[in-house]
Amino acid sequence: MKYTPFFLLFYAVMVAQNNYPEAYFSPPLDIPMQLSGNFGELRPNHFHAGFDFKTNQKEGLNVYAAAEGYISRIKISTVGYGKAIYITHPNGYTTVYGHLKYAFGAIQNKIIETQYKEQSYEVELYLKPDELTVKKGEIIAISGNTGGSEGPHLHFEFRDTKTEKIINPLFFGFDKQLTDTKKPVVSNLVVFPVGENTIVNQSQRPVNLNLSLQPDGTFLSEKVMANGKIGFGINAVDYDNVSYNVNGVYKAQIIANGKTVFGYKFDEMVFDEARFVNYFIDYNRYKKTHVRIQKLFMKNNYAWSNINVNIDNGVFTVAPNFTQINRIEVSDFNENKTVITIPIEYADQKVIVPSDIKKTPYLVKYKNDSNFEKENVSVYFPANTFYEDFYLNFDVKQNLLYLHDDTVPVHSNFTISFVDTKSPSELKKKMFIASVYEKKFNYIATKLEGNTFSCRTRTLGQFTLIKDVIAPKISMSKSIENKLITGQKSVSLIISDELSGIKTYNGYLNGKWILFEYESKLKRITHTFVDELLNEGANNLKVVVTDNVGNSSIFETQFNSSIKK
């Protein structure tokens, strides 16, 4: 399959029209389509970028090319999408297949060839249009559970090839295979005091509003009595008729006087905007209760493309003589709709529930650079690290930095520095800055310049400077020492590290580098034997594992094989 000038012209026309083809792509699996995650679903630190297809709770299903095209990218990683394949199609779109067990045929051969060439399990390939072409319905891989997957499934997504925007798969005809007659479910409606002196229903904290079902199927909220600036938020989810699990909502809007004052819709997404999910939700509540309230207002502007707002960013100023009835509409792709009516009135009230904001000497202005220092520790926040101003809890005790807690969302990296003038130079090579949570230390990539250790992170909490002089552990649950292993197809080892974590792992068979696949969730590396690399008779296997500060362990064993070459 070759790509001609006609391909380029066709691509340009399709992108310009922005008219999604509904019958061009076929499902990537040959089982009935069921979702375990949908487009735009709220996830930790991001919006979900595609569909997660169920694979009958197991690995090993055939994964098919959704349309003809060429393999344009392959990424093998221990995190994220794990083993992922990208197919670029001649109509201007790219499909992505993630969490694969392994690729198929020539694609798998290309991966292994690259891994041996680079002597690394984790590789990334960008291919030309004539290197690996595929036909619609051709098997490209076997489904799996690799990377950041929490269970067997196939991640599948559409991207605009030119802009790399991610597009809702429902636009490509997949809505026809997901019967959906169910309305979204709104389990919580919350009113937020946006102004510092706002009082709403006698509270200066967010208030949950009761909902009552009306004869026409809509909901009526309890009356909002307020004085000052307020905004609203919802806890909304969606269901379809065949997947039997919770999915994200496609569209929601709040309407006042017949006009939308705030709304969002998941037609497409931009990768660089994924972290805005942390400001879109009530992050403080989420970290404390795991409930995601989606805010239908902006206290401060943020550049998320999926929202449209009025001049007041969805915030209502309730002053004397203010009386208004608002409406929230929550819809799925098939226009099944849940409607909530909210009556609002001005009220001059006493505060029964005061604000829970605790003022400290350290006020962070989100639009400004900030620097805080104590003893041997300093913290630098560049402008726009955060979304709002807030009072920071900051202290240093016994070399432990107390930097607020993870209830304030962080948008971009900030810098933490520790100065150590006491430790000898050799020991400093084994030291790093760690986040501390429930007495567990988590490695952060650390830079050493002179006596100063520094790191960049996007999470608040506790931090310390720690040393790691303990080498990784390597073990084999089923020993092959001096055994004849004819018929055994693979060998696995368990590798782990107590503090800084695994950085590299390399295996050698009879002195030659061999490929070990790393399943980080299981702390397991596995090598599948290749006859050409085995000796007839005695073989020596060596594995070297190194952690992030350079401590290494070596495991060696000998075994026998009988190979017919």
Side-chain angles (χ1 to χ4, degrees):
M1 186 185 308
K2 291 190 176 181
Y3 293 85
T4 65
F6 173 75
F7 161 77
L8 299 176
L9 176 63
F10 182 62
Y11 165 82
V13 170
M14 287 301 298
V15 172
Q17 291 179 339
N18 201 27
N19 186 16
Y20 304 111
E22 294 188 14
Y24 188 88
F25 296 96
S26 60
L29 298 171
D30 57 6
I31 59 174
M33 192 165 71
Q34 289 185 311
L35 299 180
S36 59
N38 71 334
F39 187 79
E41 184 177 301
L42 308 180
R43 299 283 179 90
N45 297 316
H46 70 285
F47 302 96
H48 189 236
F51 277 176
D52 282 346
F53 287 127
K54 295 181 180 182
T55 55
N56 295 334
Q57 299 181 325
K58 64 182 180 180
E59 302 178 39
L61 302 186
N62 291 340
V63 177
Y64 302 92
E68 69 174 13
Y70 71 95
I71 309 296
S72 54
R73 182 184 177 195
I74 300 170
K75 186 172 183 179
I76 310 298
S77 175
T78 59
V79 297
Y81 292 168
K83 296 181 179 181
I85 292 173
Y86 301 68
I87 301 178
T88 294
H89 305 281
N91 63 345
Y93 300 103
T94 295
T95 50
V96 183
Y97 313 74
H99 307 305
L100 306 170
K101 186 179 182 69
Y102 55 83
F104 195 79
I107 307 170
Q108 178 70 0
N109 294 339
K110 183 68 174 179
I111 293 171
I112 293 176
E113 175 190 327
T114 304
Q115 289 171 321
Y116 271 91
K117 181 179 179 181
E118 298 184 11
Q119 294 193 355
S120 174
Y121 168 65
E122 296 191 79
V123 294
E124 187 167 12
L125 297 76
Y126 291 91
L127 305 172
K128 297 177 182 179
D130 58 352
E131 289 189 70
L132 284 174
T133 60
V134 294
K135 297 178 180 179
K136 183 175 184 177
E138 179 180 339
I139 300 175
I140 60 167
I142 302 299
S143 70
N145 184 31
T146 56
S149 171
E150 295 181 356
H153 72 278
L154 174 68
H155 176 85
F156 178 71
E157 67 185 59
F158 285 94
R159 299 184 186 181
D160 181 294
T161 302
K162 186 176 181 180
T163 67
E164 294 192 344
K165 283 186 177 180
I166 321 119
I167 304 167
N168 193 327
L170 293 174
F171 283 113
F172 296 90
F174 284 76
D175 59 318
K176 307 297 190 298
Q177 302 181 43
L178 283 168
T179 304
D180 184 1
T181 61
K182 298 182 178 181
K183 295 180 180 180
V185 175
V186 178
S187 54
N188 297 86
L189 173 63
V190 179
V191 58
F192 292 82
V194 178
E196 185 176 347
N197 299 314
T198 296
I199 304 170
V200 56
N201 291 18
Q202 298 185 305
S203 174
Q204 291 184 313
R205 304 182 193 180
V207 176
N208 286 302
L209 300 171
N210 293 320
L211 299 175
S212 57
L213 180 64
Q214 302 301 293
D216 64 355
T218 65
F219 291 87
L220 175 66
S221 87
E222 67 174 289
K223 184 178 291 185
V224 175
M225 308 296 291
N227 179 358
K229 295 180 181 294
I230 63 171
F232 292 92
I234 54 174
N235 179 19
V237 297
D238 195 25
Y239 298 85
D240 61 48
N241 296 35
V242 297
S243 299
Y244 310 109
N245 63 278
V246 175
N247 289 316
V249 168
Y250 169 64
K251 180 172 66 174
Q253 57 186 335
I254 184 165
I255 300 168
N257 298 322
K259 295 182 179 179
T260 298
V261 298
F262 188 102
Y264 67 88
K265 186 165 61 169
F266 286 104
D267 288 340
E268 56 184 31
M269 292 190 295
V270 178
F271 271 110
D272 291 344
E273 299 175 1
R275 200 169 178 86
F276 283 130
V277 68
N278 291 336
Y279 197 46
F280 172 58
I281 65 173
D282 180 353
Y283 189 81
N284 181 291
R285 183 188 300 243
Y286 165 65
K287 297 304 290 189
K288 292 177 178 178
T289 67
H290 301 292
V291 174
R292 293 184 174 98
I293 301 295
Q294 300 129 60
K295 294 185 294 186
L296 300 179
F297 68 94
M298 291 192 295
K299 183 175 182 180
N300 297 316
N301 289 324
Y302 63 105
W304 182 34
S305 304
N306 293 64
I307 56 175
N308 71 84
V309 297
N310 69 352
I311 193 170
D312 296 316
N313 294 331
V315 174
F316 299 89
T317 300
V318 184
N321 300 318
F322 182 101
T323 300
Q324 190 167 281
I325 295 178
N326 293 347
R327 188 171 80 253
I328 291 177
E329 296 182 353
V330 186
S331 310
D332 62 22
F333 191 83
N334 293 328
E335 290 299 325
N336 300 303
K337 186 183 299 182
T338 296
V339 178
I340 303 170
T341 302
I342 312 169
I344 308 172
E345 286 186 14
Y346 170 82
D348 188 8
Q349 358 173 22
K350 292 182 179 180
V351 176
I352 294 179
V353 182
S355 170
D356 57 355
I357 295 175
K358 296 179 181 179
K359 295 184 178 181
T360 74
Y362 310 104
L363 176 61
V364 176
K365 296 275 192 177
Y366 82 99
K367 287 187 176 181
N368 301 335
D369 295 348
S370 301
N371 194 71
F372 302 97
E373 296 183 7
K374 185 175 181 181
E375 296 179 4
N376 64 323
V377 181
S378 65
V379 179
Y380 171 64
F381 298 123
N384 298 309
T385 297
F386 302 99
Y387 303 101
E388 295 180 2
D389 300 346
F390 72 102
Y391 287 97
L392 175 74
N393 294 317
F394 172 77
D395 203 357
V396 178
K397 297 178 181 178
Q398 297 179 335
N399 205 44
L400 182 63
L401 167 63
Y402 295 86
L403 192 62
H404 211 81
D405 56 50
D406 190 25
T407 57
V408 173
V410 184
H411 185 69
S412 54
N413 282 308
F414 61 89
T415 301
I416 298 172
S417 299
F418 282 76
V419 176
D420 180 359
T421 58
K422 298 179 180 179
S423 300
S425 297
E426 287 304 309
L427 184 59
K428 286 179 181 176
K429 296 177 182 178
K430 303 291 184 182
M431 298 171 67
F432 63 95
I433 297 173
S435 62
V436 185
Y437 182 72
E438 295 182 347
K439 297 182 180 181
K440 293 183 179 180
F441 300 98
N442 299 297
Y443 174 81
I444 305 174
T446 302
K447 186 184 297 183
L448 174 61
E449 293 183 1
N451 294 321
T452 302
F453 295 85
S454 62
C455 72
R456 288 162 58 80
T457 183
R458 290 195 291 188
T459 306
L460 297 173
Q462 297 179 15
F463 302 86
T464 191
L465 185 63
I466 192 172
K467 64 181 179 181
D468 179 5
V469 294
I470 303 172
K473 295 179 181 178
I474 310 173
S475 63
M476 181 178 286
S477 57
K478 187 177 181 181
S479 175
I480 59 172
E481 182 73 23
N482 295 323
K483 293 182 179 179
L484 181 65
I485 65 162
T486 301
Q488 183 171 329
K489 295 182 179 181
S490 63
V491 61
S492 296
L493 297 92
I494 302 299
I495 62 174
S496 62
D497 188 75
E498 293 294 325
L499 288 174
S500 63
I502 303 297
K503 182 177 183 180
T504 63
Y505 45 93
N506 286 285
Y508 303 90
L509 184 60
N510 303 318
K512 295 181 179 180
W513 187 90
I514 56 173
L515 175 65
F516 271 93
E517 297 202 0
Y518 185 26
E519 297 178 72
S520 55
K521 295 188 290 288
L522 302 175
K523 299 181 180 181
R524 184 175 67 195
I525 57 173
T526 300
H527 170 69
T528 300
F529 289 119
V530 179
D531 288 353
E532 289 76 11
L533 300 177
L534 287 166
N535 290 335
E536 182 76 24
N539 289 267
N540 177 267
L541 176 66
K542 178 180 178 180
V543 175
V544 181
V545 179
T546 304
D547 66 20
N548 278 293
V549 294
N551 300 306
S552 293
S553 292
I554 298 174
F555 174 92
E556 289 191 87
T557 189
Q558 293 77 38
F559 63 92
N560 298 307
S561 66
S562 178
I563 304 296
K564 293 182 180 180
K565 295 187 178 180

